[in-house]
């Protein structure tokens, strides 16, 4: 039935977003909205059917929908975000995913942001972070291991989420910021390190045969192209000030009724 991309609009209060590693900078709300539309258009151009939810003034970070759910072929896991301010984002995402997947949830004391979960085939790497804890990791093991997935805990530092540091760009290839997460965590996979001058360049979104990527990291883009990857860029300057990247702004999965 094709690939579905669920997105959520930019909150008019994005300027009050959570920030962990960055210093607050003024965000241009109109530019953020325009850039998010450009991102949504790129998803459509890359073959996704777009399901765009409206943003909410009460939820500054709602555009970063990736953190609220992790969608597998077999089921979807509704997270319990590590930042309490973000838990109000859950109900709309839960009801939107309901028709497509059996749902399960992370429960207290578990804390989990989708940005800390990197799935590569049947291996699920889970970053333990300020947002994701051991209790959630154990709940993920209980949910996923009976379905044949291996769950692996990963330590990392200097960035918000595991996927700020490492993302999948081809079936067996990861883009990685080796100063923030050890390459030794990913045996058997080909690794493309970000250019050292672009430390924030580790977040890329593979959609079919194309990598959707920020336009801010030319040298790392060239490295991916030198590996034979096709890269399409989008401008994300405003969402980057809120510690967001290309993976954060959508939930992408094969559409089918459950
Ligand atoms: C937050 O701190 O929760 C947001 N300002 C940024 C979330 C970005 N999400 C992601 O990397 N998956």
């Amino acid at each position: 039935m094709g690939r579905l991309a669920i997105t959520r609009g930019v909150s008019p209060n994005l300027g009050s977003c959570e920030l962990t590693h960055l210093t607050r900078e003024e965000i241009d709300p109109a530019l953020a909205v325009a850039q998010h539309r450009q991102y949504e258009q790129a998803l459509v151009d890359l073959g996704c059917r777009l399901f765009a939810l409206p943003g909410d003034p009460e939820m500054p970070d709602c555009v970063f929908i990736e953190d609220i759910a992790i969608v597998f072929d077999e089921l979807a896991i509704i997270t319990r975000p590590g930042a309490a301010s973000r838990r109000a984002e859950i109900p709309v995402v839960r009801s939107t995913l309901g028709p497509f997947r059996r749902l399960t949830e992370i429960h207290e004391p578990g804390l989990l942001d989708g940005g800390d979960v990197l799935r590569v085939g049947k291996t699920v790497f889970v970053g333990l972070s300020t947002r994701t804890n051991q209790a959630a990791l154990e709940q993920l093991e209980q949910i996923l291991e009976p379905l044949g997935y291996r769950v692996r805990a990963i330590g990392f530092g200097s960035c918000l989420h595991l996927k700020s540091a490492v993302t999948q760009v081809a079936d067996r290839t990861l883009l990685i910021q080796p100063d923030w997460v050890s390459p030794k965590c990913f045996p058997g996979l080909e690794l493309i390190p970000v250019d050292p001058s672009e430390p924030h360049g580790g977040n890329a979104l593979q959609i079919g045969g194309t990598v959707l990527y920020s336009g801010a990291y030319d040298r790392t883009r060239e490295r991916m192209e030198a590996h034979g990857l096709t890269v399409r860029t989008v401008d994300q300057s405003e969402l980057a000030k809120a510690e967001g990247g290309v993976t954060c702004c959508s939930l992408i999965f094969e559409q089918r009724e459950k």
Side-chain angles (χ1 to χ4, degrees):
M1 291 179 71
R3 196 174 279 138
L4 186 64
I6 302 179
T7 60
R8 193 158 186 186
V10 176
S11 170
N13 290 319
L14 176 64
S16 304
C17 64
E18 295 283 340
L19 280 181
T20 307
H21 292 277
L22 297 184
T23 307
R24 201 167 293 279
E25 280 183 72
E26 195 162 335
I27 295 176
D28 177 338
L31 183 55
V33 168
Q35 289 177 343
H36 188 53
R37 290 217 177 103
Q38 183 198 13
Y39 170 87
E40 290 176 327
Q41 184 58 51
L43 298 181
V44 171
D45 294 346
L46 295 175
C48 299
R49 192 171 77 81
L50 188 68
F51 193 123
L53 298 166
D56 190 315
E58 304 289 318
M59 302 175 198
D61 282 305
C62 64
V63 67
F64 302 120
I65 193 169
E66 165 185 64
D67 292 319
I68 310 302
I70 309 151
V71 185
F72 294 84
D73 286 346
E74 301 86 347
L75 83 183
I77 301 171
I78 305 297
T79 67
R80 184 165 179 269
S85 70
R86 299 204 52 193
R87 295 188 198 137
E89 298 171 35
I90 292 172
V92 168
V93 176
R94 182 197 287 126
S95 59
T96 304
L97 285 173
F100 301 109
R101 291 293 189 277
R102 175 166 74 85
L103 299 183
T104 184
E105 311 219 352
I106 297 297
H107 298 288
E108 199 175 357
L111 298 173
L112 178 70
D113 277 11
D116 280 324
V117 179
L118 171 66
R119 184 177 65 80
V120 181
K122 290 294 231 184
T123 303
V124 181
F125 299 102
V126 181
L128 295 174
S129 71
T130 57
R131 300 289 179 85
T132 296
N133 65 10
Q134 181 70 25
L137 178 86
E138 288 165 15
Q139 291 178 38
L140 284 175
E141 286 170 346
Q142 282 164 11
I143 296 165
L144 292 172
E145 292 192 347
L147 299 172
Y149 292 91
R150 290 174 298 273
V151 177
R152 297 280 177 265
I154 304 281
F156 68 98
S158 304
C159 58
L160 179 60
H161 287 127
L162 179 64
K163 279 189 282 191
S164 320
V166 58
T167 44
Q168 185 176 26
V169 291
D171 277 1
R172 303 294 300 166
T173 308
L174 305 180
L175 178 66
I176 186 168
Q177 161 46 296
D179 295 339
W180 295 352
V181 64
S182 170
K184 291 189 183 135
C185 297
F186 307 101
L189 295 171
E190 183 182 17
L191 303 178
I192 304 175
V194 298
D195 189 276
S197 66
E198 296 172 341
H200 294 275
N203 186 262
L205 176 60
Q206 182 195 7
I207 303 179
T210 301
V211 177
L212 189 60
Y213 191 55
S214 166
Y217 309 117
D218 285 340
R219 290 184 177 173
T220 304
R221 175 182 50 74
E222 285 165 11
R223 285 184 177 210
M224 286 192 277
E225 288 170 344
H227 274 74
L229 299 173
T230 302
V231 183
R232 170 163 173 167
T233 58
V234 284
D235 191 351
Q236 282 210 315
S237 64
E238 301 313 289
L239 296 185
K241 293 176 191 168
E243 290 188 61
V246 283
T247 62
C248 319
C249 297
S250 54
L251 290 169
I252 298 177
F253 55 91
E254 284 305 311
Q255 183 182 356
R256 54 175 174 69
E257 304 296 315
K258 65 183 179 185

